[in-house]
């Protein structure tokens, strides 16, 4: 039976969401009310996101920085986006093999954060999987597209070593020494990959791909094929802040400070509030790695 615009969110179970079905309208349960985010602060300006040349953190003999300055070969980035896109192009039956609402599942395909519980739905489909240590998880990843494991695995490894490099610089800047976090990341570290797909949305002003949030990670590294990510610049306009659109720069990776580092640094580093806006014509793909250090009591 075809749907009515006002159908309730409980009818949008995963596998059956408006974005997976390419509905030609935005159902009410996707409409983000103005109170949900500081829309008054909407004043996107892609000029003000700083670009950091990460090669200055690396040894100057590092040949890889010639290719792109963060040291990750452009082919690895392109391949990661290609296999991610390939996965979302698969028939529903194939993707549903990974469908789960269990947030602790080592791999899961789903739509909203918690189907049936979230009051507002978001125009995102995602595959989330653990990625460190790679050999422990990779056998659970999709075998379709056939190159998914190899290409996404390579991306995860490269992004992980880049994250450790950045983390060394952060803890050094805090006076904690270069290895304070990075040395703990092998045993107690986690890497969670979210491969996100935001299909075209018939009314991008009404819905969001993801609501404003910060990541729970130490740091997050993100690769996108299209603009859509916006970050909240707290310091702008007095205390009212503003949303800033992150520009698409070929080969550039986005780095967010996550909640763990905000806590670790007593607020010297702030975790970044961000959200995802939508596009009427194109599918947006992003792959993001959350690098987390899991505190243990021992
Ligand atoms: O798709 C994006 O650009 C952001 C994704 C994101 O914020 C997340 O997965 O936590
Ligand atoms: Fe995020």
């Amino acid at each position: 039976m075809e749907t009515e615009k006002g159908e309730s969110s409980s009818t949008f179970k995963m596998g059956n969401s408006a974005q997976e079905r390419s509905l030609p309208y935005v159902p009410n349960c996707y409409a983000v009310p103005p109170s949900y985010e500081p829309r008054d602060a909407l004043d996107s300006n892609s000029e003000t996101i700083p670009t950091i040349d990460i090669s200055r953190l690396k040894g100057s003999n590092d040949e890889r920085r010639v290719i792109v300055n963060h040291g990750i070969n452009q082919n690895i980035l392109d391949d990661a986006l290609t296999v991610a896109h390939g996965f979302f192009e698969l028939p529903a039956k194939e993707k549903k093999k990974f469908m789960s609402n269990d947030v602790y599942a080592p791999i899961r395909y789903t739509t909203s954060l918690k189907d049936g519980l979230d009051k507002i739905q978001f125009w995102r489909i995602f595959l989330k999987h653990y990625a460190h240590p790679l050999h422990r998880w990779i056998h659970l990843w999709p075998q379709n597209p056939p190159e998914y494991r190899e290409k996404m695995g390579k991306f995860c490894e490269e992004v992980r070593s880049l994250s450790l490099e950045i983390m060394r610089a952060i803890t050094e800047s805090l006076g904690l020494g270069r290895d304070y976090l990075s040395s703990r990341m092998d045993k107690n570290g986690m890497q969670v990959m979210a491969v996100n797909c935001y299909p075209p949305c018939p009314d991008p002003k009404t819905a969001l791909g993801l609501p404003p949030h910060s990541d729970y990670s130490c740091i997050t590294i993100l690769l996108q094929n299209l603009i859509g990510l916006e970050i909240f610049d707290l310091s702008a306009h007095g205390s009212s802040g503003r949303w800033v659109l992150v520009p698409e720069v070929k080969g550039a990776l986005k780095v967010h400070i996550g909640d763990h580092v905000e806590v670790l640094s007593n607020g010297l580093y702030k975790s970044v509030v961000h959200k995802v806006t939508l596009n009427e014509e194109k599918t947006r793909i992003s792959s993001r790695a959350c690098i987390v250090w899991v505190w243990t009591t021992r």
Side-chain angles (χ1 to χ4, degrees):
M1 196 176 71
E2 208 22 60
T3 51
E4 296 299 323
K5 207 169 176 208
E7 67 187 328
S8 85
S9 63
S10 58
T11 53
F12 286 99
K13 294 278 181 236
M14 53 184 164
N16 198 35
S17 64
Q19 63 274 30
E20 285 163 297
R21 285 186 286 158
S22 307
L23 287 188
Y25 59 86
V26 174
N28 287 345
C29 59
Y30 286 79
V32 177
S35 59
Y36 204 83
E37 53 160 348
R39 280 204 192 247
D40 290 350
L42 251 179
D43 178 16
S44 294
N45 174 355
S46 54
E47 298 299 307
T48 57
I49 305 273
T51 303
I52 297 170
D53 182 347
I54 214 81
S55 65
R56 298 182 67 182
L57 292 180
K58 293 171 171 277
S60 55
N61 296 332
D62 186 345
E63 290 305 313
R64 293 175 304 166
R65 79 191 171 100
V66 176
I67 303 164
V68 277
N69 291 336
H70 47 64
I72 306 182
N73 188 302
Q74 186 64 42
N75 291 338
I76 294 176
L77 304 183
D78 293 343
D79 287 349
L81 287 174
T82 303
V83 292
H85 203 185
F87 174 79
F88 292 110
E89 300 266 275
L90 293 173
K93 192 167 144 243
E94 188 73 21
K95 290 179 283 195
K96 284 182 185 174
K97 287 182 190 163
F98 301 97
M99 207 150 82
S100 168
N101 237 347
D102 173 7
V103 291
Y104 298 110
I107 179 157
R108 65 190 181 108
Y109 166 83
T110 186
T111 48
S112 253
L113 300 176
K114 264 210 167 290
D115 268 350
L117 290 183
D118 286 337
K119 297 273 178 294
I120 303 168
Q121 302 254 315
F122 300 101
W123 208 266
R124 170 173 85 139
I125 310 168
F126 65 96
L127 179 71
K128 218 174 236 190
H129 51 62
Y130 295 166
H132 176 78
L134 195 58
H135 64 83
R136 185 160 161 208
W137 306 113
I138 197 166
H139 67 283
L140 301 173
W141 295 8
Q143 280 181 297
N144 215 347
E147 292 185 308
Y148 186 93
R149 292 183 182 177
E150 182 204 332
K151 306 291 191 198
M152 195 56 81
K154 190 80 196 135
F155 174 72
C156 289
E157 282 180 333
E158 293 280 332
V159 155
R160 182 180 159 74
S161 63
L162 177 61
S163 313
L164 296 185
E165 198 69 48
I166 296 170
M167 226 119 64
R168 285 188 193 102
I170 290 175
T171 54
E172 187 175 22
S173 77
L174 292 170
L176 297 170
R178 286 175 62 73
D179 295 330
Y180 184 82
L181 269 182
S182 61
S183 63
R184 292 164 157 92
M185 284 292 169
D186 239 356
K187 237 172 135 202
N188 292 333
M190 254 182 105
Q191 179 173 352
V192 183
M193 278 306 295
V195 183
N196 300 307
C197 173
Y198 307 89
C201 176
D203 185 3
K205 291 231 167 349
T206 302
L208 279 176
L210 263 179
H213 68 283
S214 61
D215 292 343
Y216 57 83
S217 57
C218 287
I219 61 171
T220 298
I221 300 209
L222 186 129
L223 172 68
Q224 62 178 4
N225 73 334
L226 275 182
I227 54 168
L229 177 67
E230 292 191 14
I231 61 165
F232 196 65
D233 178 2
L234 263 176
S235 61
H237 294 177
S239 56
S240 58
R242 69 170 171 176
W243 287 104
V244 180
L245 183 69
V246 177
E248 183 43 28
V249 178
K250 177 83 174 156
L253 293 163
K254 285 86 208 156
V255 179
H256 294 170
I257 297 296
D259 299 341
H260 276 60
V261 164
E262 176 165 337
V263 171
L264 176 80
S265 68
N266 272 338
L268 269 175
Y269 284 91
K270 301 264 183 271
S271 69
V272 184
V273 174
H274 53 287
K275 66 175 181 179
V276 178
T277 56
L278 298 160
N279 186 299
E280 204 167 349
E281 281 150 27
K282 296 188 183 148
T283 297
R284 178 168 179 273
I285 302 286
S286 71
S287 280
R288 69 104 172 110
C290 273
I291 311 291
V292 195
W293 167 35
V294 183
W295 268 269
T296 56
T297 47
R298 272 184 281 163

